């Protein structure tokens, strides 16, 4: 026989349903904002490696909420477009209710629910279970494991670190001009003209004309570079 529940009863039976799950746990709630008490219960099920399916559908998860859910190895999270049903079940009971697994709803809203006990009404429980699993199947989980998500996050983090190091790396200085094979040490057309016009190298080094004085190279170095440039 199904049992009618008010707001307080729904909150209580939901906690008991999660606590008493031993084989499976299904949470279907369009909105998710899990309070600390429910998180403690789910963390305990995660330690026991219980198969937990969480389906949401009405909004993007907050970063903290998403990170917490994905850090639980036994939880499989999926998104179901146009989801409006709210259902919570384990292998013993099913709870159909108006209440989302949302902290604000538990505290502020007027909710109702119906508790179905499998041993008392096996046929009704079976119908609820079948429909709940259908929603799980059609939801978009992308079939990505939590380990895969962590791996992807690590790869992305390493790539960002490499990009940051490249930006911090100093560019080649003017001394590189002394090696004619490193003509890319000065960018653009100006760099190529230095290797083909020895007089411009001298100007750069000695400060004559409109060049820029570069202490890193002496006049002898400039002469050497000019001779090499002529041979090339």
């Amino acid at each position: 026989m199904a049992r009618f529940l008010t707001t307080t009863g729904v909150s209580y039976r939901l906690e008991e349903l999660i606590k008493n799950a031993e084989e499976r746990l299904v949470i279907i709630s369009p909105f998710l904002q899990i309070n600390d008490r429910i998180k403690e219960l789910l963390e305990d099920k995660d330690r026991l490696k219980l198969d937990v399916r969480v389906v949401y559908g009405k909004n993007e998860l907050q970063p903290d909420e998403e990170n917490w859910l994905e850090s639980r190895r036994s939880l499989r999270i999926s998104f179901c477009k146009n989801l409006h049903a709210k259902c919570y079940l384990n292998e013993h009971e099913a709870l159909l209710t108006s209440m989302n697994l949302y902290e604000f709803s538990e505290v502020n809203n007027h909710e109702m629910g119906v508790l179905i006990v499998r041993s008392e009404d096996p046929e009704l429980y079976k119908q609820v279970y079948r429909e709940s699993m259908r929603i799980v199947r059609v939801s978009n989980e992308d079939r990505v494991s939590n380990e895969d998500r962590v791996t992807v996050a690590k790869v992305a983090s390493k790539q960002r670190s490499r990009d940051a190091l490249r930006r911090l790396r100093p560019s080649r200085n003017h001394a590189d001009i002394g090696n004619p094979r490193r003509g890319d040490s000065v960018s653009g057309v100006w760099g190529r003209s230095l290797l083909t016009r020895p007089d411009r190298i001298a100007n750069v080094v000695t400060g004559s004309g409109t060049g820029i004085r570069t202490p890193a190279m002496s006049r002898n170095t400039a002469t050497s570079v000019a001779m090499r440039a002529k041979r090339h």
Side-chain angles (χ1 to χ4, degrees):
M1 180 71 69
R3 305 172 192 177
F4 174 77
L5 305 170
T6 59
T7 306
T8 304
V10 169
S11 296
Y12 172 74
R13 295 309 309 183
L14 175 57
E15 288 193 14
E16 290 298 301
L17 187 149
I18 296 173
K19 186 190 304 182
N20 295 329
E22 298 175 344
E23 297 176 7
R24 74 177 74 92
L25 178 62
V26 178
I27 295 173
I28 298 174
S29 173
F31 293 93
L32 285 178
Q33 188 183 73
I34 306 173
N35 65 39
D36 292 339
R37 174 61 181 161
I38 298 295
K39 282 183 178 179
E40 288 179 5
L41 295 174
L42 291 175
E43 285 171 353
D44 183 55
K45 298 307 172 184
D46 183 55
R47 284 189 287 270
L48 295 172
K49 296 181 172 54
L50 186 74
D51 181 25
V52 180
R53 308 295 181 94
V54 179
V55 182
Y56 72 102
K58 289 299 182 184
N59 65 336
E60 291 295 329
L61 296 176
Q62 294 298 316
D64 291 345
E65 199 80 24
E66 184 174 12
N67 291 337
W68 182 86
L69 286 167
E70 291 186 349
S71 67
R72 312 273 78 82
R73 292 181 177 272
S74 336
L75 270 67
R76 296 175 63 180
I77 313 157
S78 54
F79 178 87
C80 183
K81 185 179 179 181
N82 299 325
L83 179 67
H84 191 68
K86 297 94 176 173
C87 178
Y88 312 92
L89 65 87
N90 61 18
E91 67 275 14
H92 305 297
E93 299 173 329
L95 177 60
L96 299 177
T97 176
S98 60
M99 189 176 74
N100 287 284
L101 190 59
Y102 199 79
E103 190 170 11
F104 181 88
S105 299
E106 297 174 42
V107 176
N108 297 280
N109 292 352
H110 297 287
E111 308 285 359
M112 295 182 185
V114 174
L115 179 69
I116 301 163
V117 180
R118 183 179 184 180
S119 60
E120 297 175 2
D121 200 336
E123 185 58 34
L124 183 57
Y125 174 88
K126 184 186 296 185
Q127 293 176 25
V128 175
Y129 173 78
R130 285 178 176 172
E131 180 60 18
S132 298
M133 296 312 296
R134 186 193 69 80
I135 292 174
V136 170
R137 287 193 301 273
V138 301
S139 62
N140 180 23
E141 186 187 8
D142 293 333
R143 302 296 182 245
V144 178
S145 67
N146 287 318
E147 290 81 359
D148 291 336
R149 291 190 183 99
V150 171
T151 300
V152 170
K154 287 181 178 178
V155 170
S157 177
K158 288 180 180 179
Q159 183 61 47
R160 287 193 295 269
S161 298
R162 285 195 292 268
D163 292 343
L165 286 174
R166 289 194 192 99
R167 288 193 294 270
L168 292 174
R169 252 178 222 155
S171 59
R172 298 171 186 168
N173 56 38
H174 288 96
D176 291 334
I177 300 174
N179 184 349
R181 293 186 177 181
R182 298 179 69 171
D184 60 340
S185 59
V186 181
S187 62
V189 177
W190 188 76
R192 291 193 294 274
S193 68
L194 285 177
L195 295 181
T196 57
R197 292 287 301 279
D199 56 316
R200 293 192 182 182
I201 296 176
N203 288 342
V204 170
V205 177
T206 62
S208 60
T210 59
I212 303 170
R213 183 176 296 277
T214 308
M217 293 178 63
S218 65
R219 185 181 297 275
N220 290 337
T221 303
T223 304
S224 175
V225 171
M227 295 298 295
R228 291 177 185 175
K230 284 182 180 180
R231 289 198 295 270
H232 289 272

